[in-house]
Amino acid sequence: MDKPTDKPRSKTPEDYTVFDVELLTRHVTDTGKILPRRITQFTAHQQRHVTKTIKRARSMLLMK
């Protein structure tokens, strides 16, 4: 944010980290399955990143 008029950017799926559990749970069903691309409307690169991040968060026991 160089200028005071710049608004903070919302996070893109590529900005998600394993500690953003609330954001990651939006892309998981109630039964724990990761939502497919046709539902999330992510690009292939974004979907791979989100999938990898969700799996890392699960292995760190941050989410189910």
Side-chain angles (χ1 to χ4, degrees), residues 1 4-7 13 15 20 22 24 27 29 34 36 38 41-43 47 51 53 56 59 61 64:
M1 295 189 322
T5 58
D6 289 344
K7 293 182 181 178
D15 296 333
D20 297 326
E22 290 181 18
L24 293 174
H27 309 295
T29 64
I34 299 170
R38 68 176 188 273
Q41 299 295 311
F42 289 156
T43 63
Q47 183 70 23
T51 300
T53 307
R56 284 181 181 160
S59 70
L61 301 177
K64 291 184 177 182

Side-chain angles (χ1 to χ4, degrees), residues 17-21 24-25 50-64:
T17 64
V18 293
F19 302 109
D20 297 326
V21 177
L24 293 174
T25 53
V50 169
T51 300
K52 194 182 302 182
T53 307
I54 289 171
K55 289 180 179 182
R56 284 181 181 160
R58 285 177 179 165
S59 70
M60 294 176 65
L61 301 177
L62 296 174
M63 63 184 292
K64 291 184 177 182

